[in-house]
Amino acid sequence: MDIKETIKVALKALQTNKTRSFLTMLGIIIGIAAVILLVSIGKGLETYITQQLESLGGNTLFVIPGEFTLGEGHQGGGPPGSGMAASKLTFNHLNQIKRKAKSVKVAMAYLEYNATLRYKGKTHTTQVVGCGPKYPQVRDQKAILGSFFNQNQYNAAKKIVVLGKTVAEDFFGESNPVGKKITLSSQRYNVIAVLEEKGGFAGVDVDDQAFIPATTAVRQFDTEYLQSFWIQSESSESVEDTKKEIEKILAKTLDEDQFSILDTQSVLSTISQILNALTIALVGIAAISLVVGGVGIMNIMLVSVTERTREIGLRKALGATPHNILAQFLVEATFLAFFGGAIGIFLGVGGSLLLDRLITTTIPFWSIVLAFGVAALVGIGFGIAPAAKAAKLNPIEALRYE
């Protein structure tokens, strides 16, 4: 029996039990779809973070508390700009950097705290950022209403606030909030600007923020230490020189384990390593479904061999060789995995495209090829045992089987 006839017989056998065939494929479908979805979400998150960091420019550095070693984790702190109780960074350190570091173009303080804003009986809990007047330049984010605070307002520690678009819309809708007064904790602040929309990822809205001068923030939140410094070097080529200058300045008053200096590329490299490890772990968990699906195919095919014992005996009596029987059942198992993989790929890609409307997703071509290849291997690998059992049946005993 040639290959075309083998495929025709195998497909007819699968069509005879459509429901059972679909249920057999279910494990493969779920596994393949889950692998593609998880990879696309992981890669999408990596793409989003990369875009956000690249928007800061290749000449941006972060001075953070504690000792940070790439690949070993951060000792005594967190990511750039996060709250750090162990910080020993002060305005004095920042001023020293501004005065003495020749390759520094911008140096600003950065703090962030969760706080509640109030306006006419309405409340909104958000992240309040204390920063410098050059924040829009460093972050590449302009004001769409009003103007960001200037150096004089910063130096005077004015009680002024710039709203992210989400906060502004929540309080004021479509009306212009500039000139209005809102309450931050128990203090009254004058709204001077609204920043342009930046978007978000996976439910994290980066426009849900409010910005005040860092000089005001240390008073508002009763602290003498800063969470981090954001630094811009004169150019991407001078980043290493800037690092050395800052390290030399800070080392005069701080121990080497009390601060770390990171650039956007080192931060991106670390985040990529973490996300890749997480994606691999999640894909590994999802791949368990493929193993379960493979076991399901093997079990159903073994049952099928038992149910079709007389058919196998009759075919052998009419001249079918063990090779023909082996090929038929192997083709059946492969088709179950093949079709299950195809449906899983369709659902995984479709689900990823739907999710892309809410969060950034990226489907690497290799994930589809890998999923398809694994599906074929599962069919062949788990179909060998049932196919071999069928091929070994004695035709006389098979014909007598009830």
Side-chain angles (χ1 to χ4, degrees), residues 132-169:
K134 295 293 182 69
Y135 178 86
Q137 176 183 328
V138 176
R139 193 68 176 84
D140 190 24
Q141 188 176 15
K142 300 175 182 177
I144 54 174
L145 294 171
S147 300
F148 208 82
F149 53 82
N150 57 39
Q151 190 65 47
N152 290 333
Q153 292 169 317
Y154 176 85
N155 292 340
K158 293 285 188 180
K159 290 182 180 178
I160 49 179
V161 61
V162 176
L163 302 179
K165 202 166 187 301
T166 299
V167 182
E169 289 180 350

Side-chain angles (χ1 to χ4, degrees), residues 104-105 163 194 207 216 241 260 264 268 274 302 313 320 350 369 402:
V104 169
K105 183 169 67 172
L163 302 179
V194 176
D207 299 308
T216 308
D241 290 336
S260 297
T264 51
L268 182 57
I274 295 170
L302 286 171
V369 174
E402 294 294 335

Side-chain angles (χ1 to χ4, degrees), residues 347-365:
L347 292 177
V349 172
S352 179
L353 293 176
L354 287 175
L355 277 176
D356 194 48
R357 298 182 178 183
L358 302 174
I359 60 176
T360 302
T361 59
T362 303
I363 307 173
F365 181 71

Side-chain angles (χ1 to χ4, degrees), residues 28 42 52 58 69 121 125 148 168 224 231 354 373 377 386:
I28 301 295
Q52 293 298 309
T69 305
T125 300
F148 208 82
E224 61 178 303
I231 311 288
L354 287 175
L377 288 174

Side-chain angles (χ1 to χ4, degrees), residues 76-392:
S82 65
M84 304 171 192
S87 176
K88 297 297 181 182
L89 303 174
T90 66
F91 279 113
N92 182 54
H93 295 123
L94 184 62
N95 293 332
Q96 290 286 327
I97 291 172
K98 288 180 179 179
R99 287 198 303 267
K100 298 180 180 180
K102 296 179 181 180
S103 60
V104 169
K105 183 169 67 172
V106 175
M108 74 171 187
Y110 188 93
L111 310 87
E112 59 185 37
Y113 294 90
N114 287 328
T116 299
L117 305 179
R118 293 181 175 82
Y119 179 75
K120 290 187 176 180
K122 190 171 186 178
T123 62
H124 185 103
T125 300
T126 188
Q127 187 180 72
V128 175
V129 174
C131 57
K134 295 293 182 69
Y135 178 86
Q137 176 183 328
V138 176
R139 193 68 176 84
D140 190 24
Q141 188 176 15
K142 300 175 182 177
I144 54 174
L145 294 171
S147 300
F148 208 82
F149 53 82
N150 57 39
Q151 190 65 47
N152 290 333
Q153 292 169 317
Y154 176 85
N155 292 340
K158 293 285 188 180
K159 290 182 180 178
I160 49 179
V161 61
V162 176
L163 302 179
K165 202 166 187 301
T166 299
V167 182
E169 289 180 350
D170 187 38
F171 277 139
F172 304 100
E174 296 299 321
S175 62
N176 188 345
V178 175
K180 303 289 176 55
K181 291 188 179 295
I182 64 174
T183 302
L184 195 170
S185 296
S186 60
Q187 303 293 318
R188 298 276 285 173
Y189 279 72
N190 186 40
V191 179
I192 62 169
V194 176
L195 290 183
E196 66 181 349
E197 187 174 2
K198 271 289 186 179
F201 182 89
V204 179
D205 184 2
V206 297
D207 299 308
D208 192 3
Q209 291 181 314
F211 304 85
I212 62 176
T215 48
T216 308
V218 293
R219 297 181 183 180
Q220 175 71 55
F221 299 108
D222 191 25
T223 179
E224 61 178 303
Y225 297 114
L226 305 174
Q227 291 173 357
S228 64
F229 302 151
W230 285 21
I231 311 288
Q232 269 196 340
S233 179
E234 288 290 349
S235 66
S236 299
E237 290 74 25
S238 62
V239 165
E240 287 303 318
D241 290 336
T242 303
K243 274 187 177 182
K244 292 176 182 177
E245 283 186 300
I246 296 172
E247 185 174 351
K248 185 177 180 180
I249 292 167
L250 295 180
K252 291 179 180 179
T253 54
L254 294 174
D255 295 333
E256 64 176 22
D257 62 349
Q258 291 183 317
F259 70 93
S260 297
I261 306 171
L262 307 176
D263 59 72
T264 51
Q265 291 305 313
S266 63
V267 173
L268 182 57
S269 175
T270 301
I271 292 175
S272 295
Q273 290 176 27
I274 295 170
L275 289 177
N276 286 336
L278 181 61
T279 301
I280 291 171
L282 291 174
V283 168
I285 294 171
I288 295 174
S289 296
L290 294 175
V291 177
V292 173
V295 173
I297 288 176
M298 183 171 64
N299 288 339
I300 294 300
M301 292 304 297
L302 286 171
V303 171
S304 180
V305 169
T306 303
E307 289 179 348
R308 294 156 63 187
T309 299
R310 286 177 62 84
E311 174 196 328
I312 294 168
L314 181 61
R315 289 189 59 200
K316 281 195 169 185
L318 293 174
T321 65
H323 175 75
N324 295 143
I325 303 300
L326 177 70
Q328 179 189 337
F329 279 88
L330 201 55
V331 167
E332 286 184 29
T334 302
F335 266 106
L336 284 173
F338 179 86
F339 285 124
I343 295 171
I345 289 171
F346 176 78
L347 292 177
V349 172
S352 179
L353 293 176
L354 287 175
L355 277 176
D356 194 48
R357 298 182 178 183
L358 302 174
I359 60 176
T360 302
T361 59
T362 303
I363 307 173
F365 181 71
W366 62 261
S367 67
I368 296 177
V369 174
L370 177 64
F372 199 76
V374 169
L377 288 174
V378 165
I380 295 171
F382 286 91
I384 288 175
K389 179 181 178 181
K392 291 178 182 178

